[in-house]
Amino acid sequence: MTDPRDTLGFVRNRLDRHSAEQPEEAVPAFDAPDAHLVLLCGDRIVLRGATALIAPGDAADLADGPRVFLGHRDGRPVFAAAAPAEVAERFAGDEVRTLDLRSIATESAVEAEELGLLAVAKSMLDWHARHGFCANCGTATVVRAGGFRRECPTCAAHHFPRVDPVVIMLVRRGDACLLGRGPHFRPQMYSCLAGFLEPGETIEDAVRREVFEETHIRVGAVTYRTSQPWPFPSSLMLGCAAEALDEAIVTDPKELEDARWFDRAAVAAMLAGSHPEGIQAPPPMAIAHYLMRAFVAGET
């Protein structure tokens, strides 16, 4: 039986990852004859046919930032590099193009296991773009461990890539679930509530806090369901199911444009694209879609 989580974007990845614990000599040459490269031009990834794994020689003299050694895939070294956004114009033809990562995921422009690798590449390059200076003393840092660490030559501080955990929750009360829409959502789309974990907070408490802040609904039991990397820029979505203790919704307009209770039939119609009000669900590659489908199936 197919696992419904297989439709989630960025979760499948057969990359044998490099890490900061490995020695510098474990990083192969960038121009190794069997090497692959993921090239980001601004926020767009170069695609050759149905793959984003190109030859490093295709990007000779184009990359303007650090080259990150991601690891090995099928025994071949894989690097990631960034180039200015205008470089994307050079990759426009019959066999080559550029596309942003969200579109690559929604259009299934590459195979699912390659999509997970692209998530690693984008998150790592975004981290390097934002952490060029030491947070301790302000000195420009240098790249080490193939890009999995930056070091300060002045105070010797080590800096490592970060992941930001986010809770996303399907809140249920009886046979209805709570969905909302933010002001930045595409028209007519409703989704699960979500928010970042705060320091010193458990997953369960983050779910309860976020739901109350956005809707004034109190939450009791919280159950973890599944997770999804979300490389925009480097989050980890922690999917949960939660039991509501209240029914009356009071939204904060700074947080949500609207929030409503939907019964199973309404959510099923949203997922099928047949809701009478034209209300839409997130795409199948999003963890909210998975949580909503589990609710319709009676699994939450």
Side-chain angles (χ1 to χ4, degrees), residues 123-139:
S123 292
M124 291 292 291
L125 291 172
D126 281 346
W127 177 74
H128 280 285
R130 290 170 170 81
H131 293 82
F133 296 88
C134 179
N136 188 48
C137 71
T139 302

PDB file of all heavy atoms in Angstrom, residues 123-139:
ATOM      1  N   SER A 123      18.761  25.169   1.174  1.00  0.00           N
ATOM      2  CA  SER A 123      18.895  25.565   2.580  1.00  0.00           C
ATOM      3  C   SER A 123      20.347  25.905   2.916  1.00  0.00           C
ATOM      4  O   SER A 123      20.622  26.892   3.609  1.00  0.00           O
ATOM      5  CB  SER A 123      18.384  24.454   3.499  1.00  0.00           C
ATOM      6  OG  SER A 123      16.991  24.299   3.387  1.00  0.00           O
ATOM      7  N   MET A 124      21.283  25.086   2.437  1.00  0.00           N
ATOM      8  CA  MET A 124      22.692  25.340   2.727  1.00  0.00           C
ATOM      9  C   MET A 124      23.167  26.652   2.101  1.00  0.00           C
ATOM     10  O   MET A 124      23.861  27.457   2.750  1.00  0.00           O
ATOM     11  CB  MET A 124      23.540  24.177   2.215  1.00  0.00           C
ATOM     12  CG  MET A 124      23.350  22.880   2.987  1.00  0.00           C
ATOM     13  SD  MET A 124      23.991  22.960   4.676  1.00  0.00           S
ATOM     14  CE  MET A 124      25.753  23.040   4.360  1.00  0.00           C
ATOM     15  N   LEU A 125      22.795  26.896   0.856  1.00  0.00           N
ATOM     16  CA  LEU A 125      23.242  28.124   0.197  1.00  0.00           C
ATOM     17  C   LEU A 125      22.592  29.359   0.818  1.00  0.00           C
ATOM     18  O   LEU A 125      23.224  30.408   0.943  1.00  0.00           O
ATOM     19  CB  LEU A 125      22.948  28.047  -1.298  1.00  0.00           C
ATOM     20  CG  LEU A 125      23.795  27.018  -2.063  1.00  0.00           C
ATOM     21  CD1 LEU A 125      23.296  26.889  -3.494  1.00  0.00           C
ATOM     22  CD2 LEU A 125      25.280  27.407  -2.055  1.00  0.00           C
ATOM     23  N   ASP A 126      21.337  29.240   1.217  1.00  0.00           N
ATOM     24  CA  ASP A 126      20.676  30.357   1.910  1.00  0.00           C
ATOM     25  C   ASP A 126      21.377  30.666   3.225  1.00  0.00           C
ATOM     26  O   ASP A 126      21.537  31.827   3.607  1.00  0.00           O
ATOM     27  CB  ASP A 126      19.204  30.035   2.168  1.00  0.00           C
ATOM     28  CG  ASP A 126      18.328  30.231   0.949  1.00  0.00           C
ATOM     29  OD1 ASP A 126      18.789  30.867  -0.018  1.00  0.00           O
ATOM     30  OD2 ASP A 126      17.178  29.743   0.950  1.00  0.00           O
ATOM     31  N   TRP A 127      21.792  29.608   3.940  1.00  0.00           N
ATOM     32  CA  TRP A 127      22.490  29.827   5.210  1.00  0.00           C
ATOM     33  C   TRP A 127      23.805  30.551   4.975  1.00  0.00           C
ATOM     34  O   TRP A 127      24.129  31.502   5.695  1.00  0.00           O
ATOM     35  CB  TRP A 127      22.745  28.488   5.900  1.00  0.00           C
ATOM     36  CG  TRP A 127      23.528  28.623   7.170  1.00  0.00           C
ATOM     37  CD1 TRP A 127      23.072  29.106   8.365  1.00  0.00           C
ATOM     38  CD2 TRP A 127      24.915  28.312   7.367  1.00  0.00           C
ATOM     39  NE1 TRP A 127      24.086  29.105   9.301  1.00  0.00           N
ATOM     40  CE2 TRP A 127      25.221  28.626   8.716  1.00  0.00           C
ATOM     41  CE3 TRP A 127      25.906  27.797   6.549  1.00  0.00           C
ATOM     42  CZ2 TRP A 127      26.492  28.436   9.252  1.00  0.00           C
ATOM     43  CZ3 TRP A 127      27.172  27.602   7.085  1.00  0.00           C
ATOM     44  CH2 TRP A 127      27.460  27.922   8.420  1.00  0.00           C
ATOM     45  N   HIS A 128      24.570  30.150   3.978  1.00  0.00           N
ATOM     46  CA  HIS A 128      25.836  30.825   3.682  1.00  0.00           C
ATOM     47  C   HIS A 128      25.610  32.284   3.293  1.00  0.00           C
ATOM     48  O   HIS A 128      26.382  33.168   3.680  1.00  0.00           O
ATOM     49  CB  HIS A 128      26.582  30.089   2.569  1.00  0.00           C
ATOM     50  CG  HIS A 128      27.314  28.876   3.044  1.00  0.00           C
ATOM     51  ND1 HIS A 128      28.493  28.946   3.757  1.00  0.00           N
ATOM     52  CD2 HIS A 128      27.037  27.551   2.921  1.00  0.00           C
ATOM     53  CE1 HIS A 128      28.915  27.722   4.046  1.00  0.00           C
ATOM     54  NE2 HIS A 128      28.050  26.859   3.550  1.00  0.00           N
ATOM     55  N   ALA A 129      24.560  32.548   2.542  1.00  0.00           N
ATOM     56  CA  ALA A 129      24.285  33.920   2.104  1.00  0.00           C
ATOM     57  C   ALA A 129      23.974  34.839   3.275  1.00  0.00           C
ATOM     58  O   ALA A 129      24.210  36.054   3.204  1.00  0.00           O
ATOM     59  CB  ALA A 129      23.117  33.922   1.121  1.00  0.00           C
ATOM     60  N   ARG A 130      23.485  34.271   4.383  1.00  0.00           N
ATOM     61  CA  ARG A 130      23.068  35.076   5.528  1.00  0.00           C
ATOM     62  C   ARG A 130      24.062  35.059   6.690  1.00  0.00           C
ATOM     63  O   ARG A 130      23.873  35.752   7.676  1.00  0.00           O
ATOM     64  CB  ARG A 130      21.703  34.588   6.034  1.00  0.00           C
ATOM     65  CG  ARG A 130      20.555  34.894   5.090  1.00  0.00           C
ATOM     66  CD  ARG A 130      19.279  34.177   5.527  1.00  0.00           C
ATOM     67  NE  ARG A 130      18.121  34.639   4.794  1.00  0.00           N
ATOM     68  CZ  ARG A 130      17.796  34.223   3.568  1.00  0.00           C
ATOM     69  NH1 ARG A 130      18.568  33.332   2.965  1.00  0.00           N
ATOM     70  NH2 ARG A 130      16.728  34.689   2.957  1.00  0.00           N
ATOM     71  N   HIS A 131      25.095  34.253   6.584  1.00  0.00           N
ATOM     72  CA  HIS A 131      26.004  34.090   7.724  1.00  0.00           C
ATOM     73  C   HIS A 131      27.463  34.247   7.321  1.00  0.00           C
ATOM     74  O   HIS A 131      28.318  33.444   7.689  1.00  0.00           O
ATOM     75  CB  HIS A 131      25.776  32.720   8.384  1.00  0.00           C
ATOM     76  CG  HIS A 131      24.445  32.591   9.037  1.00  0.00           C
ATOM     77  ND1 HIS A 131      23.299  32.275   8.336  1.00  0.00           N
ATOM     78  CD2 HIS A 131      24.054  32.768  10.328  1.00  0.00           C
ATOM     79  CE1 HIS A 131      22.270  32.250   9.167  1.00  0.00           C
ATOM     80  NE2 HIS A 131      22.701  32.537  10.382  1.00  0.00           N
ATOM     81  N   GLY A 132      27.743  35.309   6.604  1.00  0.00           N
ATOM     82  CA  GLY A 132      29.108  35.568   6.175  1.00  0.00           C
ATOM     83  C   GLY A 132      29.993  36.168   7.247  1.00  0.00           C
ATOM     84  O   GLY A 132      31.212  36.253   7.075  1.00  0.00           O
ATOM     85  N   PHE A 133      29.384  36.609   8.356  1.00  0.00           N
ATOM     86  CA  PHE A 133      30.151  37.272   9.416  1.00  0.00           C
ATOM     87  C   PHE A 133      29.893  36.604  10.758  1.00  0.00           C
ATOM     88  O   PHE A 133      28.802  36.090  11.015  1.00  0.00           O
ATOM     89  CB  PHE A 133      29.794  38.754   9.483  1.00  0.00           C
ATOM     90  CG  PHE A 133      30.163  39.519   8.244  1.00  0.00           C
ATOM     91  CD1 PHE A 133      29.281  39.600   7.174  1.00  0.00           C
ATOM     92  CD2 PHE A 133      31.411  40.130   8.133  1.00  0.00           C
ATOM     93  CE1 PHE A 133      29.628  40.280   6.013  1.00  0.00           C
ATOM     94  CE2 PHE A 133      31.764  40.812   6.980  1.00  0.00           C
ATOM     95  CZ  PHE A 133      30.874  40.884   5.917  1.00  0.00           C
ATOM     96  N   CYS A 134      30.893  36.630  11.595  1.00  0.00           N
ATOM     97  CA  CYS A 134      30.820  35.990  12.898  1.00  0.00           C
ATOM     98  C   CYS A 134      29.802  36.699  13.790  1.00  0.00           C
ATOM     99  O   CYS A 134      29.864  37.929  13.969  1.00  0.00           O
ATOM    100  CB  CYS A 134      32.201  36.007  13.555  1.00  0.00           C
ATOM    101  SG  CYS A 134      32.249  35.265  15.205  1.00  0.00           S
ATOM    102  N   ALA A 135      28.885  35.933  14.347  1.00  0.00           N
ATOM    103  CA  ALA A 135      27.898  36.505  15.259  1.00  0.00           C
ATOM    104  C   ALA A 135      28.514  36.891  16.599  1.00  0.00           C
ATOM    105  O   ALA A 135      27.911  37.630  17.378  1.00  0.00           O
ATOM    106  CB  ALA A 135      26.767  35.505  15.484  1.00  0.00           C
ATOM    107  N   ASN A 136      29.737  36.435  16.858  1.00  0.00           N
ATOM    108  CA  ASN A 136      30.406  36.722  18.124  1.00  0.00           C
ATOM    109  C   ASN A 136      31.209  38.021  18.080  1.00  0.00           C
ATOM    110  O   ASN A 136      31.143  38.838  19.003  1.00  0.00           O
ATOM    111  CB  ASN A 136      31.326  35.557  18.495  1.00  0.00           C
ATOM    112  CG  ASN A 136      31.906  35.679  19.885  1.00  0.00           C
ATOM    113  OD1 ASN A 136      31.191  35.948  20.842  1.00  0.00           O
ATOM    114  ND2 ASN A 136      33.206  35.480  20.001  1.00  0.00           N
ATOM    115  N   CYS A 137      31.953  38.234  16.966  1.00  0.00           N
ATOM    116  CA  CYS A 137      32.825  39.417  16.914  1.00  0.00           C
ATOM    117  C   CYS A 137      32.681  40.235  15.634  1.00  0.00           C
ATOM    118  O   CYS A 137      33.271  41.309  15.523  1.00  0.00           O
ATOM    119  CB  CYS A 137      34.283  38.999  17.096  1.00  0.00           C
ATOM    120  SG  CYS A 137      34.985  38.105  15.682  1.00  0.00           S
ATOM    121  N   GLY A 138      31.939  39.747  14.663  1.00  0.00           N
ATOM    122  CA  GLY A 138      31.690  40.513  13.441  1.00  0.00           C
ATOM    123  C   GLY A 138      32.696  40.319  12.324  1.00  0.00           C
ATOM    124  O   GLY A 138      32.550  40.897  11.245  1.00  0.00           O
ATOM    125  N   THR A 139      33.702  39.496  12.519  1.00  0.00           N
ATOM    126  CA  THR A 139      34.712  39.248  11.494  1.00  0.00           C
ATOM    127  C   THR A 139      34.139  38.377  10.373  1.00  0.00           C
ATOM    128  O   THR A 139      33.304  37.508  10.626  1.00  0.00           O
ATOM    129  CB  THR A 139      35.925  38.532  12.112  1.00  0.00           C
ATOM    130  OG1 THR A 139      36.460  39.334  13.157  1.00  0.00           O
ATOM    131  CG2 THR A 139      37.007  38.271  11.064  1.00  0.00           C
TER     132      THR A 139
END
